[in-house]
Amino acid sequence: MNTDLLRTFLEVAKTRHFGHAADNLYLTQSAVSSRVKQLESMIGAPVFTRQRNNILLTTAGERLLPHAENLLASWQLAVQEVGVPAKKNAQLSLGGTSNLWDTFLQSLLPKLSIKFPNLYMRTEINTSQHLVRSLLGGRVDIFASLDPPANNDFEAEVIGDLELIMVCNHPSIQIDDVPVLGHVFVDWGTAFNLQQARLFTEPVAPILHTGQSRIALEFILSHRGAAYLPRALVQPYLDDGNLFQVSGSLEVEQQVYAVYLKGADSSLSLGPVINFLKARDIKPETALAPIEDEF
């Protein structure tokens, strides 16, 4: 199997457009079309329905998609593992959603590097659904989640928590004022999202919906709105008077879980890492300090 065929198939499946896929792969559109036809010839079935400006996966294409992801990822891992320096004798692929990398996992990587100096690390940022597939397919070893999946093949351990508070850039704002000020909806997992939906007596359409806390923070600081954000992230702005906590809003402790395959905590390679995570010595990421010119 030519991995270029799989890479082209995945790019067309993602963009739903032969021209856009060609641009992303630095190929001509005819080369992309030729690769797709070659792949279809190999598997004996069409993988896309071709309509003008509307490229859709066929049933065969839908079935091929997870296999293509796994095959390509496995090949990439093999190439990387062969090229790992000899002194890096342990490997870890760590996944998480974008909001957890923003506010929790960034501070973990240096600690892992210090604790395990011979550890070779890879990271993946993706949706929860994709991370589940990546764990099952062996593309990640552990991923962090606010909503651990109910899967008998997985184990989940609490490795920390986020203290979420509602903030805005205007003083003396009450929870009842937020619909007028503007609700910035940050995705903190299904359980807490249901709580957010019940914050107001009437349904309120958010002025911004995002999965990244830093996008919400910058939006509120430069424009308007109120959002639930980690206290560790916004505390410097609260201290400086650039942000204010919304009166009458709940303060919520949201647990963060490490999810891994059953039995991984007893393996020689992942066991020490999982035990380190379970010690809960990870703190949420704080706000980034401005960079000062040293010259």
Side-chain angles (χ1 to χ4, degrees):
M1 169 61 69
N2 187 337
T3 56
D4 288 338
L5 302 184
L6 295 178
R7 188 174 291 106
T8 303
F9 164 71
L10 291 174
E11 193 63 35
V12 175
K14 182 178 72 173
T15 60
R16 294 292 198 267
H17 196 283
F18 277 70
H20 294 163
D23 291 340
N24 293 344
L25 294 170
Y26 301 100
L27 296 171
T28 64
Q29 189 166 335
S30 61
V32 169
S33 180
S34 176
R35 287 184 178 184
V36 171
K37 288 180 181 178
Q38 187 178 348
L39 179 64
E40 290 176 329
S41 177
M42 292 179 67
I43 65 175
V47 293
F48 296 110
T49 58
R50 296 165 179 81
Q51 302 174 10
R52 184 174 178 82
N53 297 324
N54 189 22
I55 304 297
L56 299 174
L57 286 166
T58 63
T59 301
E62 292 281 1
R63 291 174 179 170
L64 177 62
L65 187 63
H67 296 293
E69 291 175 342
N70 284 332
L71 284 169
L72 192 57
S74 296
W75 173 246
Q76 291 171 339
L77 282 173
V79 171
Q80 291 172 357
E81 289 177 5
V82 169
V84 172
K87 64 180 181 179
K88 299 290 186 181
N89 54 21
Q91 299 183 49
L92 172 69
S93 179
L94 180 65
T97 55
S98 58
N99 57 354
L100 282 178
W101 278 111
D102 278 351
T103 58
F104 188 83
L105 291 174
Q106 286 185 27
S107 60
L108 172 61
L109 297 180
K111 293 182 178 182
L112 282 171
S113 183
I114 293 170
K115 179 69 175 179
F116 305 101
N118 293 331
L119 185 65
Y120 170 69
M121 293 184 288
R122 296 176 60 255
T123 64
E124 179 171 333
I125 304 173
N126 223 312
T127 63
S128 297
Q129 294 86 349
H130 193 99
L131 290 170
V132 167
R133 295 204 304 268
S134 294
L135 184 59
L136 288 170
R139 300 194 298 275
V140 300
D141 301 309
I142 303 168
F143 72 85
S145 175
L146 296 170
D147 293 310
N151 189 310
N152 291 332
D153 295 325
F154 296 164
E155 292 187 25
E157 291 283 349
V158 176
I159 59 173
D161 51 63
L162 295 173
E163 183 184 1
L164 301 176
I165 61 173
M166 179 171 272
V167 297
C168 64
N169 66 349
H170 291 283
S172 305
I173 293 295
Q174 305 284 329
I175 186 66
D176 293 338
D177 301 325
V178 172
V180 176
L181 179 65
H183 182 212
V184 177
F185 189 101
V186 184
D187 186 357
W188 292 116
T190 303
F192 183 60
N193 289 346
L194 291 174
Q195 293 185 50
Q196 288 198 76
R198 295 192 291 266
L199 283 174
F200 315 108
T201 55
E202 298 291 336
V204 175
I207 57 173
L208 174 65
H209 188 297
T210 179
Q212 295 181 296
S213 56
R214 292 191 186 278
I215 290 178
L217 174 62
E218 291 300 325
F219 184 87
I220 292 172
L221 287 170
S222 61
H223 186 45
R224 66 185 178 93
Y228 268 100
L229 294 171
R231 181 182 290 277
L233 179 67
V234 301
Q235 191 61 55
Y237 300 98
L238 293 171
D239 295 339
D240 293 343
N242 291 315
L243 288 179
F244 304 88
Q245 191 166 351
V246 175
S247 299
S249 59
L250 296 175
E251 298 181 5
V252 180
E253 291 284 340
Q254 186 79 339
Q255 292 183 319
V256 181
Y257 297 83
V259 182
Y260 49 90
L261 291 176
K262 278 190 174 179
D265 53 342
S266 59
S267 71
L268 292 177
S269 56
L270 289 180
V273 174
I274 293 172
N275 288 330
F276 174 75
L277 296 177
K278 288 160 63 174
R280 302 185 64 171
D281 189 30
I282 313 164
K283 302 301 180 185
E285 187 75 6
T286 57
L288 293 177
I291 300 175
E292 297 181 358
D293 193 345
E294 297 180 355
F295 303 99

